[in-house]
Amino acid sequence: MVDISNAKTMARTLRTSLSERSIELPHSACLELVARQFGFADWNLLSARLEPPKRPLTLPRNWFALGSISDTTHRLGLDPERPGTALIESLVARGRGKDLTGLIAVLMQSIKADAFLGQRLRLSADLRTQEADLATIWMRVDGDERRGLAFDNMLDRETEGPLTGTTDWTRRSIVLDVAPEAGSLHYGVFLRGYGRVWARHLRVEPVGPEIPVTIIRRRETCDAANLPGGPANLDFCER
């Protein structure tokens, strides 16, 4: 047996053979029988042993990973199968090993606020999810004196909020005012818990006063020193 596909083929063959003898078993039961043939207590343990480990993803240039994660819980970066698309995914299946419930994996960018002072700013992106506990975009405006000025991660919305489960490409946006005393801007995508989220077509752009802000919330901040002067690599094309 080389990989997990062989084990699944064995389960299908077993089910067919039993059916020919008028013994009907669901595919899941046949998977369990195959696992026991190889000395494992259940299918979850066998499949975990057979699935090849996933390689770390390459981070897009000017972006970095953050959150309550490790190399064994999540991977973040450019999707090698979808140019111009970032991916955040959990590496642990539900019910196996470490519990990922509540852990947050963040792909983010931080820049100086100088070019946007006094303006209303919109962050927008297309998101797609697969069996995700929760996936969303977020943006924060910080002051120079280590104090948050505005923040939105869409979690408090009744409509057009975070995505859960499996969804097709969906546009989401956040609008915040950048106060004259702002020092830095921080924004990105995050996945909470299990599943996958893809992000593409990110934009950070000024909008007019006719576009309402989405939410304002005070948060702690970080020092704006040494941050880039503006958004970069929003199309995830640069490694």
Side-chain angles (χ1 to χ4, degrees):
M1 184 166 50
V2 178
D3 57 33
I4 194 169
S5 63
N6 299 110
K8 291 180 176 179
T9 299
M10 291 177 64
R12 286 192 294 269
T13 301
L14 175 61
R15 186 182 185 191
T16 300
S17 299
L18 291 173
S19 179
E20 291 172 350
R21 293 166 174 77
S22 300
I23 302 174
E24 300 296 335
L25 285 180
H27 182 62
S28 59
C30 292
L31 290 173
E32 296 296 331
L33 289 174
V34 168
R36 294 193 177 189
Q37 284 180 313
F38 286 95
F40 290 87
D42 55 43
W43 171 253
N44 283 340
L45 292 175
L46 174 61
S47 59
R49 180 69 62 86
L50 295 178
E51 289 174 349
K54 293 183 177 180
R55 296 180 179 179
L57 298 175
T58 301
L59 285 173
R61 189 171 70 89
N62 294 356
W63 291 79
F64 60 95
L66 195 66
S68 50
I69 58 172
S70 70
D71 292 340
T72 61
T73 62
H74 295 81
R75 66 174 188 162
L76 307 83
L78 297 170
D79 187 340
E81 300 179 1
R82 298 174 177 84
T85 303
L87 167 65
I88 305 175
E89 69 172 342
S90 59
L91 297 175
V92 180
R94 298 178 194 274
R96 297 189 210 159
K98 182 178 176 63
D99 184 8
L100 304 187
T101 304
L103 296 188
I104 296 177
V106 184
L107 185 64
M108 66 174 292
Q109 187 170 105
S110 296
I111 64 172
K112 293 180 179 179
D114 299 15
F116 302 104
L117 296 180
Q119 300 184 56
R120 183 161 290 182
L121 205 60
R122 177 168 61 198
L123 166 71
S124 56
D126 290 335
L127 302 179
R128 176 174 172 259
T129 59
Q130 182 179 42
E131 299 180 352
D133 285 358
L134 184 145
T136 186
I137 58 173
W138 62 278
M139 181 163 64
R140 191 179 78 232
V141 181
D142 284 350
D144 278 330
E145 299 178 358
R146 304 192 68 79
R147 56 192 176 91
L149 301 176
F151 175 78
D152 185 6
N153 60 9
M154 307 198 305
L155 296 189
D156 294 336
R157 298 187 188 182
E158 295 183 0
T159 61
E160 297 187 352
L163 303 180
T164 60
T166 299
T167 65
D168 202 352
W169 289 108
T170 304
R171 195 70 173 169
R172 284 292 184 262
S173 62
I174 288 171
V175 180
L176 297 177
D177 285 330
V178 182
E181 66 270 27
S184 59
L185 304 174
H186 313 269
Y187 47 83
V189 183
F190 77 73
L191 171 73
R192 187 169 70 191
Y194 296 91
R196 294 182 178 91
V197 58
W198 290 266
R200 68 182 185 185
H201 301 160
L202 270 76
R203 296 190 66 184
V204 177
E205 57 187 342
V207 295
E210 73 279 2
I211 306 297
V213 295
T214 51
I215 195 171
I216 298 178
R217 187 186 301 172
R218 298 289 179 178
R219 280 293 178 95
E220 292 300 318
T221 184
C222 68
D223 195 343
N226 301 318
L227 294 178
N233 197 20
L234 300 185
D235 57 3
F236 301 122
C237 287
E238 296 181 45
R239 296 177 179 271

